Amino acid sequence: MPTLERPAVNIKQVITPASPTVLTPTLVPCIVGPCYQIVEPLEDGALNSDALITTAAELSADNAHVAPATLSGTTLRVTINGTLETVVFPVIGGAGGFSQALIVNALNAGLSLAYAEYGADNILRLFTYAKGTAATIVIQAVGVDVLNTAASPLGFTTSQSVAGKAQYNNLLYRVPYSSLPSPMTDVDNVVFDEDELSLYKYFGNILSELSQDSAVDWTSYIPK
């Protein structure tokens, strides 16, 4: 019996490369809005070392004073990070004393590992530039160190020793904004959003956020 051949069908596809016309905008885009840098507590599932809080050593005088202090020709001896530093107050004539501003200027000019400042409570405080447990301040009262003649007029009537913090140890201590983790080298160039500021604790291999309304986990933020 006769057979019929099936007709052949050939398909030819031609691909023509596109040549789009790229237009350069005449107006440069400008995006306006807040720019945030976020420091996360975890990085790739592990604790972020850049998010850990370390604090400087902070030494407070025993007494506050507002009246000018009698410091003419006296010497303050303080051991900072294991190094003894000495500040000699200049001799001034007359009955006048050193104001808080003059005291801070003299101390900051003579100290290289720490700085001094007065708070609103009129108490002199010394802070180390370094942070962590290696940051220490030790001061001996004049009864222990007879050469430390400026200690008592500055309000340091007892011998004290303090160290910075690197981890929570069940003791209350202050964490100023300057000790918070900063994505920038100089924390003074950072403005923290207090409403978005969260602190975490890592205990028993569990990371949990500190709460502001819990008696166990309560924490507060004190601007420096």
Side-chain angles (χ1 to χ4, degrees), residues 106-148:
L107 290 176
N108 289 339
L111 298 175
S112 62
L113 300 177
Y115 64 94
E117 65 179 32
Y118 275 93
D121 53 5
N122 296 311
I123 291 180
L124 177 64
R125 291 179 174 85
L126 302 179
F127 301 87
T128 57
Y129 290 111
K131 297 178 181 180
T133 55
T136 59
I137 303 178
V138 179
I139 190 168
Q140 302 289 350
V142 68
V144 179
D145 183 357
V146 294
L147 299 178
N148 206 3

Side-chain angles (χ1 to χ4, degrees), residues 16-24:
T16 303
S19 299
T21 301
V22 179
L23 300 177
T24 303

Side-chain angles (χ1 to χ4, degrees), residues 71-112:
L71 291 164
S72 179
T74 60
T75 300
L76 178 69
R77 290 159 52 88
V78 56
T79 302
I80 303 172
N81 304 340
T83 301
L84 177 63
E85 295 200 329
T86 301
V87 178
V88 179
F89 287 87
V91 177
I92 59 174
F98 282 73
S99 65
Q100 291 184 358
L102 289 177
I103 292 174
V104 169
N105 288 339
L107 290 176
N108 289 339
L111 298 175
S112 62

Side-chain angles (χ1 to χ4, degrees), residues 4-219:
L4 297 176
E5 294 184 1
R6 294 183 178 181
V9 178
N10 295 325
I11 299 176
K12 184 177 181 181
Q13 184 178 11
V14 178
I15 300 177
T16 303
S19 299
T21 301
V22 179
L23 300 177
T24 303
T26 56
L27 296 177
V28 178
C30 178
I31 301 176
V32 179
C35 180
Y36 295 99
Q37 298 191 56
I38 301 175
V39 179
E40 297 288 354
L42 296 177
E43 186 176 45
D44 298 329
L47 288 177
N48 182 7
S49 59
D50 293 333
L52 295 177
I53 290 179
T54 57
T55 65
E58 176 184 340
L59 181 67
S60 300
D62 300 290
N63 302 316
H65 68 83
V66 180
T70 305
L71 291 164
S72 179
T74 60
T75 300
L76 178 69
R77 290 159 52 88
V78 56
T79 302
I80 303 172
N81 304 340
T83 301
L84 177 63
E85 295 200 329
T86 301
V87 178
V88 179
F89 287 87
V91 177
I92 59 174
F98 282 73
S99 65
Q100 291 184 358
L102 289 177
I103 292 174
V104 169
N105 288 339
L107 290 176
N108 289 339
L111 298 175
S112 62
L113 300 177
Y115 64 94
E117 65 179 32
Y118 275 93
D121 53 5
N122 296 311
I123 291 180
L124 177 64
R125 291 179 174 85
L126 302 179
F127 301 87
T128 57
Y129 290 111
K131 297 178 181 180
T133 55
T136 59
I137 303 178
V138 179
I139 190 168
Q140 302 289 350
V142 68
V144 179
D145 183 357
V146 294
L147 299 178
N148 206 3
T149 53
S152 181
L154 290 175
F156 297 101
T157 58
T158 61
S159 300
Q160 297 187 51
S161 176
V162 294
K165 305 292 190 301
Q167 63 182 13
Y168 182 63
N169 54 9
N170 293 327
L171 296 177
L172 177 66
Y173 60 90
R174 188 174 70 109
V175 180
Y177 281 144
S178 59
S179 294
L180 293 175
S182 171
M184 304 183 68
T185 303
D186 189 354
V187 71
D188 290 337
N189 295 327
V190 178
V191 177
F192 292 97
D193 186 349
E194 186 174 346
D195 294 333
E196 299 296 330
L197 190 60
S198 299
L199 297 179
Y200 297 82
K201 67 176 180 179
Y202 184 73
F203 181 76
N205 295 325
I206 298 176
L207 183 70
S208 57
E209 182 177 354
L210 293 175
S211 170
Q212 290 187 320
D213 54 10
S214 168
V216 177
D217 290 337
W218 181 84
T219 184

